[in-house]
Amino acid sequence: MHRRTILRRTTLPAALALAGCTAPSGEPDGEADAGGGSDGSEGVSGTPPIPMLEDPPEAVYLPGHRKSMRVLEPVDAGEYALTPMLSYPHPFWIVTANYREFVEPAAGRGVHLMVVVWDRETGRVLPGAEPRATVSRDGREIDSRALWPMLSQEMGLHVGDNVDLPADGTYAVDVEFPPLSIRRTGSLAGRFAEGATATFEFTYDRAFREAVVEGIELLDRERWGQRGALEPMVDRAGTDDGSRDGSDDDGSDADDGRDAAGDGDGGTEPMIPYSRVPPADAYPGTRLVESVGGETDATAGDGLPTSGDAAFVVALLEPESRLADGDDPYLLVSPRTPYNRVPLSNASLRVVLERDARQVLDERLEPVIDGEYGHHYGRSVSDVRESDTVRIAVESPPQTARHQGYETAFFGMDPVELVVPSA
């Protein structure tokens, strides 16, 4: 499949001119919209010119900039907690099956509305929570839509979309959650079985637009498109030079981000949990890591097998494990980004078990969210023996909308082939 990114052009709001920024040479450019309005938003519309590569690598890469956003205070919705965030309208890509579709922000006033959905008890971000958001002003509905599950280097897993707004003012957002359908285990078992609702408000005005545009940080031009990833917002809260780009691979012992706080509005630092799963050596059981000739892409820096630039932790847990069903071992498969350890949710995976060139198992893996191990895919497997070949096949890549730096990765994923090692 041809996955070359098409260079898009966007409009240049006056706020970007006030920030002293211009579109980098050869990148998207445009004109300021000088149109006025009675609401005090004269000359501020559209979206900033976002640096975009014409031919990015088919892997995780550094985009041309770091985003800027306003983080609101967390609110509760039944057992759910959510941290809302607002920024300028973003370009992003929707993934359907093995194809992606570019979403270009409409010229005009609006925000990119994002919500990180998490559990206060464990701090775990909850993949599979796909709420509906209704935006209103002065009691009149402006927009209502299901938010896209999204994957971002800086924010990890979240839900969001671009929302057009007619004018400056204070807006209310009603968020409605259905029951969580993904299997929950450990401290999450039996929870999130009921729907819930929550409401938060935000102010959209010229000051907001100027602040989020002035906060855009361009990376050095020579770094655009390099293999790597921007550090999460929760990590940047403790750094001042942005030197950690791509440094947190699966072999690191960095914390999982569950207790970190991000940039706040004013003197506060609202909670922004990050969807980082544990490093490979934190999983119990027997690790399956030895390649037996499959067509995977080499290995990650810590020896993890990879495919489509995703790293895979594959472990066989003893029948006594709390994840196992009955008396059979449990196969745990944790695909994650090669940097920052973000789980790749909304994919479809199968396990094929072979012995002496004979297939003995072919079953789909079930998505799971666990309070300790986070998001993974798994199932109990019977009659698994030493030297058996275990093939993890990706039937469909992560069906998650992508921010820049992820849109070309995690496609064309060949099976990951491993063996069960000797005891």
Side-chain angles (χ1 to χ4, degrees):
M1 178 181 64
H2 183 65
R3 302 200 302 275
R4 182 181 298 269
T5 300
I6 300 174
L7 185 66
R8 302 285 180 152
R9 294 186 177 272
T10 57
T11 59
L12 174 63
L16 192 62
L18 292 172
C21 299
T22 58
S25 176
E27 300 305 319
D29 56 11
E31 311 181 335
D33 182 349
S38 60
D39 56 11
S41 57
E42 298 81 24
V44 182
S45 63
T47 184
I50 303 301
M52 295 178 66
L53 303 183
E54 289 186 317
D55 193 14
E58 295 186 352
V60 177
Y61 70 91
L62 288 172
H65 72 295
R66 293 187 180 92
K67 301 177 183 69
S68 174
M69 65 194 67
R70 175 175 295 172
V71 182
L72 307 182
E73 289 293 335
V75 296
D76 291 324
E79 293 186 287
Y80 297 94
L82 54 150
T83 298
M85 296 174 286
L86 301 164
S87 190
Y88 46 84
H90 288 353
F92 62 91
W93 289 260
I94 297 170
V95 176
T96 303
N98 290 302
Y99 301 92
R100 71 171 189 265
E101 176 185 354
F102 182 80
V103 177
E104 185 171 18
R109 301 180 184 90
V111 296
H112 186 75
L113 173 66
M114 299 162 284
V115 177
V116 176
V117 185
W118 50 288
D119 168 42
R120 282 195 183 272
E121 181 178 315
T122 62
R124 286 288 173 200
V125 174
L126 300 172
E130 299 179 11
R132 185 174 191 85
T134 300
V135 181
S136 60
R137 182 187 182 203
D138 298 330
R140 181 173 64 88
E141 182 177 308
I142 303 298
D143 191 291
S144 184
R145 67 182 68 190
L147 298 178
W148 295 104
M150 289 187 154
L151 182 62
S152 162
Q153 294 180 4
E154 298 153 284
M155 292 163 288
L157 291 175
H158 62 287
V159 294
D161 204 349
N162 294 325
V163 178
D164 297 334
L165 301 175
D168 285 6
T170 297
Y171 290 84
V173 182
D174 296 311
V175 185
E176 182 178 359
F177 290 88
L180 196 61
S181 59
I182 189 173
R183 182 189 176 202
R184 286 91 67 199
T185 56
S187 59
L188 300 177
R191 302 178 58 205
F192 306 102
E194 301 291 334
T197 59
T199 300
F200 62 89
E201 292 185 344
F202 68 89
T203 298
Y204 178 74
D205 56 16
R206 186 184 187 96
F208 164 79
R209 290 186 291 274
E210 291 181 0
V212 294
V213 173
E214 287 175 358
I216 296 173
E217 181 183 348
L218 294 180
L219 273 64
D220 293 339
R221 184 62 180 85
E222 60 270 17
R223 300 181 67 196
W224 298 5
Q226 290 182 1
R227 297 287 292 269
L230 298 173
E231 70 278 13
M233 288 177 62
V234 294
D235 292 346
R236 292 199 70 208
T239 65
D240 57 12
D241 62 0
S243 61
R244 294 192 58 195
D245 290 349
S247 63
D248 181 22
D249 62 23
D250 287 275
S252 77
D253 58 2
D255 99 13
D256 61 11
R258 289 182 292 171
D259 301 317
D263 298 329
D265 186 15
T268 62
E269 290 189 332
M271 181 74 171
I272 313 175
Y274 190 77
S275 48
R276 183 184 282 131
V277 290
D281 58 9
Y283 292 86
T286 302
R287 282 263 307 279
L288 312 185
V289 295
E290 180 182 352
S291 176
V292 292
E295 297 180 359
T296 57
D297 309 331
T299 58
D302 62 343
L304 293 181
T306 72
S307 179
D309 210 33
F312 284 74
V313 172
V314 182
L316 191 64
L317 281 57
E318 298 297 329
E320 295 79 17
S321 166
R322 59 180 173 78
L323 294 172
D325 182 15
D327 299 325
D328 296 325
Y330 182 83
L331 183 70
L332 182 151
V333 180
S334 174
R336 70 273 303 277
T337 62
Y339 316 96
N340 299 333
R341 301 200 310 264
V342 179
L344 297 177
S345 64
N346 290 17
S348 179
L349 275 60
R350 297 187 74 86
V351 56
V352 177
L353 188 66
E354 294 181 349
R355 182 180 308 133
D356 300 325
R358 180 175 60 89
Q359 182 174 298
V360 295
L361 177 71
D362 182 358
E363 296 287 349
R364 179 165 292 179
L365 296 170
E366 181 181 15
V368 180
I369 177 71
D370 183 75
E372 182 178 2
Y373 305 124
H375 180 276
H376 67 274
Y377 302 83
R379 67 168 295 112
S380 293
V381 292
S382 60
D383 191 29
V384 58
R385 306 177 189 177
E386 294 180 2
S387 300
D388 282 353
T389 297
V390 177
R391 180 183 301 111
I392 307 301
V394 181
E395 294 186 312
S396 65
Q399 303 296 290
T400 305
R402 317 281 184 82
H403 286 256
Q404 287 184 56
Y406 280 143
E407 79 276 11
T408 53
F410 322 131
F411 288 100
M413 302 176 72
D414 294 318
V416 175
E417 294 199 7
L418 310 167
V419 294
V420 179
S422 301

